[in-house]
Amino acid sequence: MTKPEKSIKGSEVTLYILQQNLFSFEQWLEIESEYRLEPFFSVLDLRPYSQALCSDTKRGRKPENREAILRALLVAPFENISEFTALRERLVSDIRFRYQCGFELAKRVPSISTFSRVFGQIMEKEIAQKLFNDLVQQCLDEKIIVADTIAIDSTAIDAYEKKQPKSKSQETGNATWGAKYDTFRNKITWFGYKIHLAVDTSSELPIALEVTPANINDGDMGPTLIEKVAAQIPEGRLKYVIEDSGYDQQKNYEAAKAQRAQAIIPLNLRNAQEPPEGFSFNGTPKCSMGYEMVYWGCDKNFLKFRCPHALGKVDCPNGMAWCSSSNYGMVVKINVKDDLRRFSLPHRGTKRWEELYDKRTSVERCNSRLKENLTANDLHIRGIKKVTAYIYLNAIVLLATALASKKINCSPKQKVA
């Protein structure tokens, strides 16, 4: 999406956004707030969700505008506002912002306690989760999310709670101590939570998420996320599930296979058992002389491997005659179903496998947007249920922005303000 162009005619300001095929969240953030909020809200029909926040009883004073409060809470991460106090101050001081959120200008802005109370209702009634799932469906319908290939990973977020000893914090089910290694094998510890994301590699948009205490193993959450993705997309759509070596556990391969998808996961060689006799660690069969055979394509579920001497890869002292009387050389076929973890289709180490695994960076970029561009790592609430609702609000911003971008780009030029 290109940077907006403004034309000024008298006191009228018109904003035009030129069409571009690719959605760029970073470029969207460069648009001035007063111009980006209208298209953002235009794709959100919040009436059914705001009605769910209203009390069934007709007693007492008339409740505050729940839809306006919900709009304000949704747009807060977009505006880098992470506290109810700061959100109310912005609404009081910025009349345009208050109007775009749907508040009546003649009335006072709701109190901080009202915002907190409505957020509590969003948490208890799982409003944010429902809106997130509905927006994922809209993105699927609009063909923004493809969902044939997903990437799964987690990211650390710091807690707002007071730090506690590890032995005590693990009993609460909320924030606790987590540890991981960075790219340079330095151990990093934090007190807080993990966001586990399943992201569409084509659009880099989240399809499913979970929030857990920081000590939960990444691999344990893989099957849960795969099941949540499968519940969102048409049956048979999912083809590949891409995860790093931290997910190299049998259950993650089986979870992908249950959806008729292929898990693309590097083998974790730390503490790994020796491969079966006659195979290398990556599942490549060895010939009788101990040379790794050459991958030569596949036939349905079977991987095909050929004699390395026949293909000029090695100079075997026994030639081809040792293993085969054919000029083609010895051929070995492996059924990937024999060992879901050891064998992969495409075969590990091939160009196609590497191309697929490179798509894992999509989930890293999505995590980065949540934490650096939005407010996922700037918590001012306590407890895992509240944190989960808060992370969903941040994820909703990514989905709604993509839908708004698609709506704007449907014509070469579109007046949006």
Side-chain angles (χ1 to χ4, degrees):
M1 185 171 173
T2 58
K3 195 170 183 178
E5 300 177 358
K6 298 179 190 176
S7 63
I8 302 176
K9 299 178 181 179
S11 59
E12 181 184 358
V13 178
T14 305
L15 176 71
Y16 292 99
I17 299 181
L18 301 181
Q19 183 178 10
Q20 188 173 345
N21 291 330
L22 296 177
F23 159 68
S24 171
F25 183 69
E26 286 74 16
Q27 288 181 332
W28 183 272
L29 288 174
E30 293 177 4
I31 303 173
E32 293 178 34
S33 174
E34 59 186 290
Y35 298 116
R36 70 187 181 195
L37 293 189
E38 185 176 333
F40 175 81
F41 284 132
S42 70
V43 299
L44 294 171
D45 181 6
L46 299 178
R47 288 172 296 179
Y49 310 100
S50 59
Q51 289 173 4
L53 294 171
C54 294
S55 174
D56 294 331
T57 178
K58 296 183 179 181
R59 296 179 180 178
R61 59 184 296 181
K62 184 178 179 181
E64 300 285 354
N65 187 334
R66 289 292 188 267
E67 184 172 348
I69 294 174
L70 182 55
R71 285 162 71 105
L73 290 172
L74 281 170
V75 82
F78 209 0
E79 298 294 296
N80 253 291
I81 300 171
S82 57
E83 300 176 78
F84 298 138
T85 303
L87 178 58
R88 188 178 186 279
E89 288 175 354
R90 171 71 182 276
L91 289 165
V92 170
S93 62
D94 189 336
I95 295 178
R96 177 189 284 271
F97 181 68
R98 194 192 320 168
Y99 175 77
Q100 287 180 316
C101 288
F103 291 100
E104 295 183 39
L105 301 183
K107 292 186 176 182
R108 293 183 61 183
V109 176
S111 65
I112 296 171
S113 61
T114 300
F115 280 100
S116 179
R117 186 166 56 253
V118 173
F119 179 80
Q121 291 178 306
I122 292 172
M123 174 197 70
E124 292 294 339
K125 297 184 179 182
E126 299 186 343
I127 299 297
Q129 289 94 318
K130 294 172 184 176
L131 177 55
F132 173 85
N133 291 335
D134 289 345
L135 289 178
V136 168
Q137 287 300 318
Q138 288 185 44
C139 287
L140 284 164
D141 294 341
E142 294 288 338
K143 294 181 172 53
I144 297 171
I145 289 177
V146 180
D148 60 348
T149 305
I150 64 168
I152 292 176
D153 200 4
S154 73
T155 189
I157 53 174
D158 300 315
Y160 189 57
E161 290 101 316
K162 182 180 178 180
K163 294 179 181 179
Q164 298 181 10
K166 185 176 181 181
S167 58
K168 185 179 293 185
S169 63
Q170 288 184 343
E171 299 173 357
T172 65
N174 294 311
T176 188
W177 290 96
K180 63 179 181 180
Y181 290 91
D182 65 12
T183 307
F184 306 102
R185 300 302 300 162
N186 297 311
K187 190 174 183 178
I188 299 172
T189 60
W190 77 100
F191 184 76
Y193 301 92
K194 278 184 180 179
I195 305 173
H196 303 264
L197 275 185
V199 169
D200 171 46
T201 61
S202 177
S203 62
E204 299 181 358
L205 291 172
I207 306 177
L209 70 85
E210 287 282 342
V211 177
T212 67
N215 65 328
I216 299 300
N217 183 272
D218 290 356
D220 291 340
M221 298 307 299
T224 300
L225 290 171
I226 293 172
E227 289 175 7
K228 293 183 80 169
V229 169
Q232 289 277 73
I233 66 176
E235 185 177 357
R237 172 77 62 88
L238 187 60
K239 302 299 181 186
Y240 299 103
V241 178
I242 305 169
E243 300 161 301
D244 66 25
S245 59
Y247 295 83
D248 181 26
Q249 301 174 21
Q250 187 68 24
K251 57 189 172 187
N252 286 303
Y253 297 95
E254 291 174 353
K257 183 65 172 60
Q259 306 303 328
R260 290 181 288 175
Q262 173 65 57
I264 304 296
I265 307 174
L267 291 174
N268 191 338
L269 301 184
R270 286 180 297 164
N271 302 320
Q273 296 180 351
E274 286 293 320
E277 186 177 356
F279 288 90
S280 66
F281 267 106
N282 72 347
T284 302
K286 296 180 179 181
C287 70
S288 56
M289 287 296 294
Y291 296 114
E292 287 193 13
M293 300 186 71
V294 180
Y295 178 65
W296 207 250
C298 63
D299 181 13
K300 296 183 179 179
N301 292 323
F302 287 86
L303 304 175
K304 180 180 178 181
F305 298 88
R306 285 185 62 190
C307 170
H309 180 85
L311 296 170
K313 301 296 183 181
V314 299
D315 185 13
C316 179
N318 295 310
M320 291 185 295
W322 181 270
C323 302
S324 174
S325 58
S326 169
N327 292 333
Y328 192 76
M330 185 177 72
V331 174
V332 173
K333 291 186 178 181
I334 304 295
N335 190 337
V336 295
K337 294 181 179 180
D338 291 343
D339 189 336
L340 296 178
R341 177 177 175 270
R342 185 71 59 183
F343 306 124
S344 173
L345 184 59
H347 183 54
R348 280 191 183 88
T350 61
K351 182 179 179 180
R352 175 57 178 158
W353 192 95
E354 295 293 344
E355 287 175 348
L356 286 166
Y357 186 68
D358 285 345
K359 294 182 179 183
R360 197 185 66 85
T361 56
S362 60
V363 69
E364 294 175 348
R365 285 190 285 272
C366 187
N367 278 326
S368 176
R369 288 167 186 145
L370 287 171
K371 294 171 63 174
E372 296 178 16
N373 299 127
L374 301 176
T375 60
N377 200 29
D378 189 17
L379 301 179
H380 289 84
I381 49 177
R382 299 179 179 87
I384 193 166
K385 290 182 68 176
K386 287 184 178 180
V387 172
T388 298
Y390 186 77
I391 299 303
Y392 268 110
L393 292 178
N394 276 261
I396 286 168
V397 171
L398 297 178
L399 296 170
T401 303
L403 286 165
S405 178
K406 173 70 180 292
K407 184 176 181 180
I408 290 170
N409 291 341
C410 65
S411 60
K413 285 189 176 183
Q414 178 83 20
K415 183 187 286 189
V416 297

